[in-house]
Structures are given as structure tokens and as C-alpha cells.
Amino acid sequence: MTSNSDDLVISSDPLHPANLIPELCRSFYKLGWVTGTGGGICIRAEDKVYIAPSGVQKERIRPEHIFVLPFPQPTPSPHTDRVFLRRPARNLKESACTPLFWNSFDLRDAGSCIHTHSQHAVMATLLWPGPVFRISHQEMIKGVRVAGTGPALSYLDTIEIPIIENTPHEEDLKDSMASAMREYPNAAGVLVRRHGVYVWGLDWEKAKTQTECLDYLFEIGVKMKLAGIPTTL
């Protein structure tokens, strides 16, 4: 039954998901990843999923703004009529990324998923006109895992991140994102052309680390491309 009780989101534990999400959003805001209310994050903790609200100033989110959903969701949720354990008392809407976050749970068994509007990610989708971004022989590749949840990649590996086309509404990306994840089973994220990127991990730490590493690789890949340097060897 849906409740607006704060019991699920008020905790003195700094590592509680409802405390972590506002902290991480402030950090991502400073990086330019979630400005203009864009972007989002979710954390799955056992049978509960904590999700930031949509259309709000991400650097000003507080624990009481967090939505809590049960995991797994009964069919056909979370893509239509979602079941909530807790909604904020304020008139807020759960992240528009919710069905895409669920792709990371269902297809990768992820514990957290991050969506950014990083300019580096957007530029990568513009300079790689095809369906995939590729880069190899970069030290930061070692911070990315196979499929986002498997063993760590090596310096010698070539990273492939699929690129899907954007849609006017975020939730309409769900099926194309799922298709890309199936076509590229080793990918740790999915780029959305002229939009941003989704990155997941086994937990919030690994999702954050991989988002940072991929953002670095997008940035240096763009610089290499513009300088006429091949991004793969």
C-alpha cells in the first residue's frame, strides 16, 4: 500500500539510499551531469528501489523527496501502473527514467543505475554517427566492468557502448535501450544520441565509478577524434 510515511527514507545512517541519493545528486550537479533538473539515479537495496524525483533541482533534493518502490514489480509495472511503497508528501513525480532503470535490474541484475546529461556523452554520440562508441588502450578502461556487473576490463580491451536514438519522451527509450543491451551484452552503459548516457553497476559505488570512468573515456575519445587520432588500436 502506498504511503507518504517518512519511515522508509529518514535514517541517521549516511549510507542509507535516501541519504546517498541527495548527496550523489549534489556531486553530479557540480560535475555538470544533472543540471536543469535533468538526469537521475536509483539505488536497489534488497527488495526496495529508491528513486529520485523528476523535474526538480537535483542539487536540492532531500531524503523526504525520495520515492520507494518494491522489487520486483508486479506485471506490467514499472512501465505503466507502478506500485509504490512510499510517495513524497509533496506533489512530486518519480523519475521519468524509472522504466529505463528497471532495464538495468532485469537485464543486468544491477544494484544501481545513473543517468547523466554529460556534454562529453552527448558529444560522443555526435562524433560517432553509427550505433556504437568504441575506444581502446586507455588506462581508465580498467575501471569499467564487463556488462557493468562482471569482471573488470583490462587496458588492452576495447570498450563498446551502444548508441540509441533519442525520443521526445524519456520512457519511450525503454525498448530501444533493452534491445541495445541485448545486442551488446558486454556493455556497461547505453548512450542516447543528443541526450546523455545510462550506466549501471552492482551497487552505487560501482555504478558511480563506472560513470566517472566512462565520462573520462567519452571526453578523451572526443578530443582524440577531433585531433584526428584513432580511438582504437
Side-chain angles (χ1 to χ4, degrees), residues 30-84:
K30 292 176 182 177
L31 292 171
W33 289 357
V34 296
T35 55
T37 78
I41 180 175
C42 70
I43 296 175
R44 177 161 67 99
E46 299 179 350
D47 61 348
K48 296 179 182 65
V49 176
Y50 298 79
I51 295 182
S54 181
V56 300
Q57 308 294 323
K58 292 298 189 293
E59 76 280 16
R60 295 175 61 85
I61 291 175
R62 298 194 301 271
E64 58 266 31
H65 298 157
I66 303 301
F67 288 81
V68 185
L69 292 79
F71 183 85
Q73 285 271 301
T75 304
S77 296
H79 311 306
T80 52
D81 297 324
R82 300 179 187 122
V83 176
F84 292 86

Side-chain angles (χ1 to χ4, degrees), residues 2 68 145 161:
T2 301
V68 185
R145 294 175 176 270
I161 303 296

Side-chain angles (χ1 to χ4, degrees), residues 155-168:
Y155 166 78
L156 298 175
D157 286 319
T158 297
I159 274 189
E160 293 188 327
I161 303 296
I163 304 171
I164 61 175
E165 300 302 323
N166 198 20
T167 58

Side-chain angles (χ1 to χ4, degrees), residues 28 33 104 108 110-114 116 140-153 159 161 186-190 197-218:
F28 297 161
W33 289 357
S104 74
R108 296 290 191 271
S112 179
C113 187
I114 296 168
T116 85
M140 291 293 272
I141 289 173
K142 292 159 64 174
V144 182
R145 294 175 176 270
V146 175
T149 53
L153 293 168
I159 274 189
I161 303 296
N186 291 331
V190 173
V197 67
Y198 283 84
V199 184
W200 51 83
L202 284 172
D203 51 37
W204 71 268
E205 293 102 328
K206 292 181 177 64
K208 174 178 177 288
T209 297
Q210 292 184 115
T211 305
E212 292 167 346
C213 290
L214 285 173
D215 198 65
Y216 173 97
L217 293 168
F218 298 148

